[in-house]
Amino acid sequence: MRKFFAIFSIFAIISSLILVGCNQNKSNNENSSSDQNKSSSEAPASGPITINKEISDDQLILSKGPHGETAVSAKTLELTEEEIAKIKQGNYKAAIVMHYAGNDWSTAQIDGLKATFERMGIEVVAVTDADFKSEKQVSDIETVLAKNPDIIVSIPVDPVSTAEAYKKAAESGVKLVFMDNAPQGLEHGKDYVSVVSADNYGNGVAAAEIMAEKLGGKGKIGVIFHDADFFVTKQRTEAFEKTIQEKYPDIEIVARGGITDPNDGEKVASGILTKNPDLDGLFVVWDVPAEGALAAARTAGRDDLVITTIDLGTNVALEIASDGIVKGLGAQLPYDQGISEAILAGYALLGKETPPYVAVPAYKVTKENVLDAWKLVYHKEAPDSIQSAAK
């Protein structure tokens, strides 16, 4: 009988170990899957704060700032551990005032800002979305100011109609850091800390080079531009058109159409394709209207059309990975732009000198590197759908 209980006890122990092992493996697999698919909203727990060290040091930045300033590379920015500790002592607060928060670019910027501010001990008290409406953004700024932030990081919907609201914030002592553009009449060093942007000119050049390569250096193309006083989108279109005209004389721009709303892409593209049935390619100023252009091309039965754009959104990335109509793009690195903006806010809190214009290098994306690009842009692996399409 004793022998039976001994054998039974050994069997029970072995069974428990097996179950623990299975559960541990299951837990590890679940954690691995979760880690792969979650947004990277965590900054390194220690060491200096910089942008991603994998971003090239050698790439020439082609963009100029809103007032013609030469760009300082975001690779040069850094907060030391001693500086981070000093900032933490201030118990500072920050607000993020977006022009639009409904796309992958904005989400990545906000994630980069939040993660870096957390590392700096800065509380984010508000994140707002103006839905591309300047009057809504003015209201958002007024609402945010009631929370007494020390820092506002923002991208103006319109540099003219929002200027007074930003000026009021600056006069109240708030440190302003801008994405992409500065409001009219505000001065660097007096009213705002810095402007941080991607190399939008460089990304426009990248989109043009991909277009030319896919068309074999000849053909007829159209351009869908942003019909608004928006500094960075103007740079993209200017860079694309100038590159085509100067480097590829056998490619002719035969049609242009403007959008004022990102949802206008399909309507404008449909009109261009109807008037130009022999069109070979179409450049669209960023990924959301490019999705509309893609829908228009499919409706018109134009699977042979070549589309290039700016910004690595989920839907255009999937199309590139599938070797579809969207063949490539110039990518911003919005997560790292968010890190840069937070670092510059830290500089201002510390009383350090700041450059007027900082840029993150451009990045050319095609099917061959779309998975690596996603990881660089968003600090995480590409979604399963994109990984499967890229195989």
Side-chain angles (χ1 to χ4, degrees), residues 223-344:
V223 171
I224 295 180
F225 62 93
H226 189 201
D227 192 10
D229 184 15
F230 212 70
F231 170 69
V232 296
T233 51
K234 285 182 177 179
Q235 278 201 326
R236 298 174 186 183
T237 304
E238 177 189 346
F240 179 89
E241 294 182 338
K242 188 173 181 180
T243 302
I244 291 295
Q245 290 162 356
E246 293 184 355
K247 291 183 65 176
Y248 306 103
D250 293 329
I251 297 178
E252 184 183 2
I253 298 173
V254 297
R256 298 179 87 251
I259 59 164
T260 55
D261 184 288
N263 298 315
D264 289 342
E266 183 171 3
K267 178 177 67 177
V268 174
S270 180
I272 288 175
L273 290 171
T274 299
K275 293 177 182 177
N276 302 273
D278 58 344
L279 203 71
D280 299 299
L282 191 60
F283 167 72
V284 189
V285 69
W286 78 89
D287 66 307
V288 177
E291 293 173 19
L294 175 61
R298 286 173 174 162
T299 299
R302 290 299 314 276
D303 291 342
D304 60 330
L305 191 71
V306 172
I307 293 177
T308 65
T309 187
I310 313 288
D311 293 343
L312 188 66
T314 302
N315 294 328
V316 292
L318 182 58
E319 188 71 8
I320 291 169
S322 306
D323 198 21
I325 295 172
V326 180
K327 296 299 185 184
L329 53 83
Q332 300 188 72
L333 304 176
Y335 192 99
D336 289 282
Q337 288 167 237
I339 294 173
S340 302
E341 290 145 11
I343 292 173
L344 287 161

Side-chain angles (χ1 to χ4, degrees), residues 101-115:
N103 60 8
D104 294 320
W105 181 89
S106 295
T107 299
Q109 280 257 8
I110 293 166
D111 285 348
L113 280 162
K114 283 183 171 180

Side-chain angles (χ1 to χ4, degrees), residues 56 61 360:
S56 172
I61 293 174
V360 178

